[in-house]
Amino acid sequence: MAFKSPQNTTASGARAKIDAARAQDRRRAARKRNMTIVASLVAAFAVIVAVFLAVDPGSGPDGDTLAAGESRYVRSDSHRLTTAADGKVTLVEFLDFECEACRGMYPLVESLRKEYEGRVTFVVRYFPLPGHFNAERAARAVEAAAQQDKFEIMYQRMYQTQTEWGEKRTPADEYFRGLAQGLGMDMAAWQKAYEDPATLARVKKDVADGQALGVQGTPTFYLNGTLVQVQMQDDLKKAIDAALAG
Amino acid sequence: MQRSPDDLTLSGDEQIAGEADRPFARSLPWLLLVGGLVGFAAAFTLTVEKIALLRDPDYVPTCSINPILSCGSVMRTPQAEVFGFPNPLIGVAAFAALAAIGAAMLAGARPRPWFWAGLQAGVTFGVVFVHWLIWQSLYVIGALCPYCMVVWVVTILLFWYVTLVNLGRTRAGRLLAEYHAVALTAWFLLIIGLITVRFWDYWSSLI
């Protein structure tokens, strides 16, 4: 196997030169071959991804396209407090659990949804404002509860306890955990959902819809896709009555 | 196939002298130095972020960009402390050592075979560990941590070229060296493909 020491050193020197040149050519050819295959691989990969993207554009959690029966106001996974039998009138509220104005509206919304039970669909969309330190946490806590079919009770608890945890600059994780525990939830599942990036993505999807609709603050109400200006306590009720009559 | 002088099989001290003939033997020290420094920077940053997170549980790490690219959620998991202490501590020590080895080789160090064997053992442990972390990140935690991904890339690169140098002029070594970039590309594309599929919903929502 081994290359035995050559007799003639000049011949071996010339030979070494030729071999070196050959080796260089080989390396060059190998590099070129490498680059060609690498480029083809990358191109093929890019084409496959592009094709899939073209076939399946934006079916994602905060996708821009809407599935059948969905709108920016109401998605298929949006939480409904009550559902109208005929589905003709829908009131959507973009809310922030840490916003005092939302808590101010809460008793009215509660009484309205009892009054119009079965006739008006009440939809809740998350819209935690960045200025509220625990608002996003609260939304995640409610969403985590929703995964155990406890959306409504957790939604109520948030407003009932807002003064306990709101307007503070410290994380309220433990407090929300306590709320969930008090409602007898499966705490392992709740905790997992609370920390799951998918839960946060679900909240942000609502926010994205709100932003696309031009929601500026909370609470913002849409009745059948029309912004309702709520100045007086009666405004909301009047708008609902008008929609039901019309 | 005709044999050329650089196909020579040598023994003993000659083998050490002939090391420069092994594929990538000359570029490996640079890779070790640069890769080691990059890996060190990533591991060091992760360590600093971990400390910040411990001091203030509400701290949002600099690499938490969106629900998928999120160090915070990854750093809080048990997988981030497999051996009972934060993983980046391993990286801080190991990458610093690799960079030093690269620098020593550039300065003329010609390690003995046992040293090469040790280096191989180290990068092999690293690459196995990194793939376990990739698996956990993708399928158990469901989030990606950008600094960790820097570590993935560097670890795979270092493993690959250390292995090629160690395989040297064996048949497998030559074949792999010939198509080193192809194999590496396929490897990375596989991981990128898994990431693309796993978080497809998210990526497709971005466009």
Side-chain angles (χ1 to χ4, degrees):
Chain A
M1 286 294 250
F3 195 85
K4 293 293 170 197
S5 49
Q7 301 294 319
N8 189 327
T9 45
T10 24
S12 93
R15 178 138 188 220
K17 256 187 201 162
I18 293 166
D19 281 332
R22 265 191 204 147
Q24 204 182 357
D25 281 349
R26 258 205 321 273
R27 273 199 296 276
R28 226 174 256 153
R31 198 172 301 147
K32 204 174 159 195
R33 211 162 39 236
N34 256 301
M35 285 306 121
T36 314
I37 304 177
V38 165
S40 334
L41 275 178
V42 173
F45 182 81
V47 167
I48 292 172
V49 171
V51 165
F52 273 98
L53 275 179
V55 171
D56 170 37
S59 63
D62 40 3
D64 271 353
T65 50
L66 299 157
E70 281 192 337
S71 72
R72 286 230 178 266
Y73 302 98
V74 188
R75 298 269 189 172
S76 56
D77 62 356
S78 294
H79 299 296
R80 292 159 176 81
L81 290 169
T82 57
T83 307
D86 57 5
K88 274 188 189 145
V89 179
T90 303
L91 182 75
V92 179
E93 181 185 4
F94 281 85
L95 57 79
D96 173 337
F97 292 111
E98 197 174 349
C99 124
E100 283 179 71
C102 302
R103 183 166 56 89
M105 289 300 290
Y106 165 70
L108 175 67
V109 175
E110 286 290 275
S111 72
L112 285 178
R113 76 174 167 108
K114 285 200 180 74
E115 188 178 340
Y116 292 98
E117 176 118 48
R119 289 189 288 156
V120 176
T121 304
F122 280 74
V123 179
V124 171
R125 306 293 305 265
Y126 305 112
F127 201 77
L129 297 167
H132 289 146
F133 191 80
N134 282 308
E136 192 182 87
R137 285 187 173 79
R140 280 193 284 131
V142 173
E143 182 55 30
Q147 292 177 18
Q148 299 183 31
D149 292 329
K150 296 222 164 84
F151 172 81
E152 187 179 334
I153 184 78
M154 193 65 164
Y155 154 90
Q156 291 171 326
R157 276 287 183 286
M158 279 298 169
Y159 282 133
Q160 288 160 0
T161 60
Q162 195 197 67
T163 47
E164 301 283 316
W165 57 268
E167 300 295 324
K168 294 200 171 79
R169 307 300 296 175
T170 48
D173 305 81
E174 281 310 308
Y175 190 85
F176 296 151
R177 196 178 150 74
L179 286 183
Q181 206 148 22
L183 294 171
M185 293 192 203
D186 172 351
M187 287 316 290
W190 183 87
Q191 189 70 29
K192 191 166 185 289
Y194 182 66
E195 286 167 357
D196 189 349
T199 306
L200 180 60
R202 168 68 185 77
V203 171
K204 290 200 166 162
K205 186 172 121 179
D206 276 14
V207 174
D209 275 348
Q211 283 167 341
L213 292 171
V215 173
Q216 300 283 332
T218 51
T220 295
F221 292 94
Y222 289 98
L223 190 65
N224 285 349
T226 312
L227 182 69
V228 185
Q229 298 286 357
V230 186
Q231 309 285 344
M232 318 273 288
Q233 284 269 323
D234 277 359
D235 290 349
L236 209 50
K237 189 172 161 54
K238 277 182 196 153
I240 293 171
D241 285 336
L244 281 170
Chain B
M1 190 177 141
Q2 202 190 347
R3 288 189 174 271
S4 52
D6 55 8
D7 284 333
L8 278 178
T9 43
L10 300 161
S11 59
D13 286 346
E14 282 175 288
Q15 190 160 21
I16 291 163
E19 228 161 51
D21 290 339
R22 297 196 283 184
F24 307 110
R26 246 177 302 215
S27 35
L28 184 69
W30 284 107
L31 182 69
L32 284 169
L33 178 59
V34 176
L37 288 177
V38 171
F40 177 80
F44 188 79
T45 313
L46 277 166
T47 310
V48 172
E49 295 279 44
K50 178 74 186 177
I51 293 169
L53 202 60
L54 290 175
R55 278 164 66 179
D56 174 10
D58 196 47
Y59 176 75
V60 177
T62 52
C63 45
S64 289
I65 302 161
N66 59 42
I68 305 299
L69 291 175
S70 161
C71 297
S73 46
V74 175
M75 283 162 69
R76 276 178 244 256
T77 59
Q79 288 93 329
E81 303 183 7
V82 186
F83 304 104
F85 56 86
N87 298 340
L89 290 179
I90 306 172
V92 165
F95 285 117
L98 288 170
I101 292 170
M105 285 180 180
L106 285 175
R110 292 287 166 264
R112 301 254 161 207
W114 67 262
F115 191 89
W116 280 106
L119 187 57
Q120 185 68 55
V123 292
T124 306
F125 165 76
V127 88
V128 171
F129 187 36
V130 151
H131 282 78
W132 182 80
L133 288 171
I134 293 176
W135 176 263
Q136 294 291 317
S137 190
L138 283 177
Y139 299 102
V140 180
I141 302 168
L144 299 168
C145 140
Y147 297 140
C148 313
M149 290 162 80
V150 171
V151 172
W152 301 354
V153 171
V154 171
T155 307
I156 291 172
L157 280 174
L158 290 174
F159 167 79
W160 181 237
Y161 287 106
V162 167
T163 305
L164 285 185
V165 169
N166 272 331
L167 285 174
R169 300 223 146 263
T170 58
R171 187 184 283 271
R174 266 188 308 199
L175 183 72
L176 290 177
E178 184 130 333
Y179 292 101
H180 68 104
V182 174
L184 206 53
T185 307
W187 192 336
F188 280 124
L189 282 182
L190 178 68
I191 294 171
I192 296 170
L194 291 177
I195 292 173
T196 311
V197 171
R198 175 68 178 80
F199 301 114
W200 183 260
D201 281 349
Y202 185 74
W203 308 133
S204 59
S205 75
L206 291 179
I207 56 161

